[in-house]
Amino acid sequence: MPGTVGAAMRHACTGGKRLRAFLVLEGARLHGIATGTALWPAAAIEAMHAYSLVHDDLPAMDDDDLRRGQPTVHIAWDEATAILAGDALQALAYELAARPEAGSEATRAALALSLAQAAGARGMVLGQALDIAAETAETPLTLDEITTLQQGKTGALFEWSAMAGPRMADADPAPMREYARAFGLAFQIADDILDIEGDEKATGKRVGKDGAAGKATFVSLLGLETARARAAELANAACAALDGYGPDADNLRAAARFAISRRT
Amino acid sequence: MPGTVGAAMRHACTGGKRLRAFLVLEGARLHGIATGTALWPAAAIEAMHAYSLVHDDLPAMDDDDLRRGQPTVHIAWDEATAILAGDALQALAYELAARPEAGSEATRAALALSLAQAAGARGMVLGQALDIAAETAETPLTLDEITTLQQGKTGALFEWSAMAGPRMADADPAPMREYARAFGLAFQIADDILDIEGDEKATGKRVGKDGAAGKATFVSLLGLETARARAAELANAACAALDGYGPDADNLRAAARFAISRRT
């Protein structure tokens, strides 16, 4: 089992779009941080995201058997391995963000602190808790409640990723935060659309689960066309937040547009 | 449920001996660190320990219903709440260690990094994984294997706690590490003895489980009397490691002696 936990951690980190790492790397490049330095927080956020998926897929949580086109960790191994692999991936995230290679002591203290706040009970875990609670709630969530849920579940790590570059450069993180906030919501609306229109082979995960569970989504609340329009507006707002960076930020703009056109 | 996760986190942090916090505070005092500063890493390590208990008690892990005289989190609430409360407590541990109140940027980066290494796949999670694997192993563990298991499961956080003070003062952590290593093993041997001789009311947890599960323990391998003698030797070694500190370290020496005489 000990070697097993390492294997399960690697399994959980395989595949995926690496979108959060991309946000770290592009945000760092925009602020003059070397890629070799930025790779450490980029790896950190992918470890954090992987942990959240492993625990979210557990039977007591979302109970999913397919993720990134592979069996989930508790299916490929067992629940104890999935709990421990997730726990160790969370620890690994802080280790990667705090290692000397990630920058000055001030940078690493700031990265570790902000990462803990993004991942914890007021960030990602809050989003997960709202999501689980929604499954058994008597009334479906409102648009405001779903927005809060998603800002925790997806938004907190998106914002941390986008803000890592300015944090490492001691620059104003506000434009990147605004970009990430709009991008994260656009991404999540697109996710809800994919849950209706996507196919499992392309997305690598089960689709149609939210609708089948009667969960309120952006699509169920707004309707498909309005949801699509809202996602496009948000993608535009994300791009506009980057105006100050000029054409250097074109990769980030392309990512925001990709978020709403993706099939996976 | 979101408010529930906060309540479950508080429940998990209630009670206990606060031994790891004590090690941080005493080690800090010995190195001239103000208590108000040391309280942050002391709180951090208690959050980390509480998370490990919540996850260790889950049905897929040790499946315990009683902890610190209270129902475990998944009994008082449910498994999803226990998974999320544990996850959020782990994040809280890094947040507390990396907050500005915990010291200089250099100190906080070092505390966060070493905490992640102590908690992760080469530290506490390794110990947990070895422990779970031992339950289904065909042959009982050897003394060396149990020692490795305990150095991960208990030792890693003990060592981090004892070394926090010298780390904060930029002093040599070797004597405190040696103290913690001997203390941790003595503590664990005493735990195995309590699992045979203790009572549930005093310990606040189920006793006799390891023996009933046929798990190898220090007691099953060494016999009760040899185990008791080994614990006493280790407590003496722990005290001796503190020689350089003189009578200032008497509280830490008393703790090592308490470890082998405790009834809880």
Side-chain angles (χ1 to χ4, degrees), chain A residues 169-191:
Chain A
D170 219 0
D172 179 14
M176 287 297 284
R177 183 198 289 127
E178 197 183 329
Y179 163 79
R181 195 162 287 180
F183 182 6
L185 273 178
F187 184 87
Q188 194 53 50
I189 295 176
D191 224 46

Side-chain angles (χ1 to χ4, degrees), chain B residues 46-236:
Chain B
E46 289 294 331
M48 187 68 83
H49 178 51
Y51 125 69
S52 77
L53 298 179
V54 172
H55 280 191
D56 196 37
D57 288 338
L58 282 166
M61 305 276 290
D62 267 5
D63 194 14
D64 266 307
D65 59 354
L66 187 67
R67 173 69 72 178
R68 294 174 168 176
Q70 301 287 335
T72 49
V73 172
H74 69 274
I75 297 290
W77 286 274
D78 52 42
E79 280 185 57
T81 303
I83 293 165
L84 289 172
D87 288 344
L89 281 168
Q90 181 171 189
L92 180 62
Y94 299 102
E95 180 176 343
L96 292 167
R99 279 176 68 102
E101 294 90 336
S104 71
E105 288 157 336
T107 292
R108 296 185 280 123
L111 288 175
L113 175 58
S114 55
L115 186 56
Q117 290 167 330
R122 290 187 173 83
M124 186 171 66
V125 169
L126 175 64
Q128 298 273 33
L130 289 167
D131 200 23
I132 299 283
E135 284 175 19
T136 54
E138 286 177 19
T139 50
L141 297 187
T142 64
L143 196 58
D144 276 356
E145 287 169 332
I146 288 196
T147 305
T148 303
L149 185 165
Q150 294 304 344
Q151 272 170 352
K153 194 166 171 169
T154 314
L157 294 199
F158 263 58
E159 288 180 32
W160 186 89
S161 303
M163 290 161 73
R167 267 206 183 96
M168 297 173 90
D170 219 0
D172 178 14
M176 289 296 284
R177 183 199 290 129
E178 197 182 330
Y179 163 80
R181 196 162 287 181
F183 182 5
L185 273 178
F187 184 86
Q188 193 54 49
I189 296 175
D191 224 47
D192 288 351
I193 295 172
L194 275 176
D195 191 59
I196 292 175
E197 298 193 327
D199 82 83
E200 286 176 7
K201 199 157 170 203
T203 59
K205 60 184 176 185
R206 297 278 174 234
V207 301
K209 276 192 69 175
D210 290 346
K215 273 165 92 163
T217 70
F218 287 112
V219 176
S220 74
L221 286 168
L222 295 172
L224 192 56
E225 284 320 303
T226 307
R228 225 189 279 280
R230 180 83 187 111
E233 270 171 41
L234 285 162
N236 286 336

Side-chain angles (χ1 to χ4, degrees), chain A residues 1-70:
Chain A
M1 168 119 171
T4 306
V5 169
M9 290 167 74
R10 279 188 291 277
H11 176 93
C13 290
T14 304
K17 290 180 283 295
R18 307 268 189 251
L19 196 47
R20 290 155 190 81
F22 167 86
L23 293 177
V24 173
L25 294 174
E26 283 296 312
R29 191 180 57 75
L30 273 184
H31 292 85
I33 303 291
T35 304
T37 305
L39 276 171
W40 294 89
I45 200 68
E46 289 294 332
M48 187 69 84
H49 178 51
Y51 126 68
S52 78
L53 297 178
V54 172
H55 281 191
D56 196 37
D57 288 338
L58 282 166
M61 304 278 291
D62 267 5
D63 194 13
D64 266 307
D65 59 355
L66 188 67
R67 171 72 69 180
R68 294 174 166 175
Q70 301 286 335

